[in-house]
Amino acid sequence: MAGEALRQETDGTPKVGALIRARRRQLKMTLQQLGDASGISVGYLSQVERDHFTPSLGTLAQISRALEVGIEFFIAAPSAEDALTRNGERQRFSVDGSSIVYERIGAEFPGSVLSSFILTIPPGYRSEVVSHEGEEILFMLDGTITQRVDDVEMTISAGDSLHFRGNRPHAWWNDSGKPAKMLWTGTLFMFRSREITPLPDLGGGKSVQPAARTRTSSKKGNTT
């Protein structure tokens, strides 16, 4: 499937942790330098590189920015030739074994500043605490999540929405016991790519190339 993200380990492609580590070493960055550049703790990055933790899409975008690649370096970005998406036909993907399922509904074109996804969040999922540039809008389509922004916790149920600046520390989780579905929109440049050097051979006899790239926007930016 053209839109499959982070191909399964069985096809010989390294998991996201190995790709992050290889790209970091290619740039001759230490974990501390990557942590400083991405705003993510060294301890968490170490766990991600060893595939003990799976980063959320937002955290993966922060790492991508620090590593000077688009997020499509780690997941295959769909073509945006046609901005129309239809229910039941949208591309669905997860981030390297994460239990969250994403459906991309935003298109990319020169000058675009929005990314948008439908997230299906299983019971028990808890995100890490993050802060980043830009802003986010959440709209609950089904079910309930708990959202924390700064030190305030709030319950968001179907029909509720929340709009906040991304530089405020925030996290969310689903303790409802049922799956939840959320429309997420933000000014985070999820799929902006830059010209990069292909990764060296990671073993297994073949070099790892970035996933298929989308067209580069005329407005530079990166996600968080």
Side-chain angles (χ1 to χ4, degrees):
M1 176 178 172
E4 183 182 5
L6 291 175
R7 294 180 296 274
Q8 297 300 311
E9 197 174 19
T10 54
D11 73 355
T13 303
K15 297 182 74 174
V16 64
L19 291 172
I20 291 171
R21 182 171 56 251
R23 178 62 181 168
R24 174 176 63 80
R25 289 175 175 174
Q26 185 185 44
L27 296 176
K28 296 180 171 58
M29 295 177 71
T30 65
L31 268 176
Q32 184 63 60
Q33 289 171 326
L34 178 56
D36 293 342
S38 65
I40 300 170
S41 73
V42 171
Y44 184 78
L45 286 171
S46 177
Q47 295 294 315
V48 168
E49 285 197 356
R50 288 183 285 170
D51 288 310
H52 292 172
F53 290 159
T54 298
S56 68
L57 195 63
T59 297
L60 186 58
Q62 287 179 254
I63 296 170
S64 300
R65 178 179 59 186
L67 293 175
E68 300 181 355
V69 295
I71 200 171
E72 69 275 15
F73 187 82
F74 303 105
I75 62 176
S79 172
E81 295 296 328
D82 188 347
L84 174 66
T85 69
R86 297 192 183 278
N87 186 33
E89 299 179 1
R90 281 185 288 268
Q91 179 186 47
R92 294 163 61 87
F93 63 91
S94 61
V95 179
D96 196 26
S98 170
S99 53
I100 292 185
V101 175
Y102 296 88
E103 297 179 51
R104 188 183 186 193
I105 64 173
E108 182 177 326
F109 48 84
S112 64
V113 296
L114 294 177
S115 294
S116 191
F117 301 86
I118 294 175
L119 281 62
T120 300
I121 308 148
Y125 179 86
R126 298 180 70 90
S127 78
E128 65 272 28
V129 178
V130 297
S131 60
H132 51 75
E133 65 186 29
E135 54 189 297
E136 299 185 26
I137 298 176
L138 312 181
F139 183 85
M140 290 304 300
L141 300 170
D142 190 31
T144 300
I145 64 166
T146 302
Q147 174 78 44
R148 181 173 182 174
V149 181
D150 294 324
D151 294 324
V152 177
E153 291 185 9
M154 61 203 83
T155 299
I156 307 176
S157 301
D160 296 341
S161 65
L162 179 66
H163 185 186
F164 59 94
R165 291 187 181 277
N167 61 3
R168 301 170 65 185
H170 55 279
W172 48 269
W173 54 91
N174 181 3
D175 285 339
S176 69
K178 298 180 179 179
K181 184 169 287 190
M182 175 174 68
L183 171 63
W184 178 93
T185 301
T187 54
L188 307 179
F189 299 96
M190 286 289 182
F191 289 95
R192 301 299 189 268
S193 59
R194 300 180 182 180
E195 290 303 316
I196 61 171
T197 303
L199 284 175
D201 191 342
L202 299 180
K206 62 179 180 180
S207 297
V208 176
Q209 303 293 333
R213 298 178 183 174
T214 54
R215 291 173 297 175
T216 305
S217 168
S218 60
K219 182 182 180 67
K220 294 184 178 178
N222 291 284
T223 61
T224 66

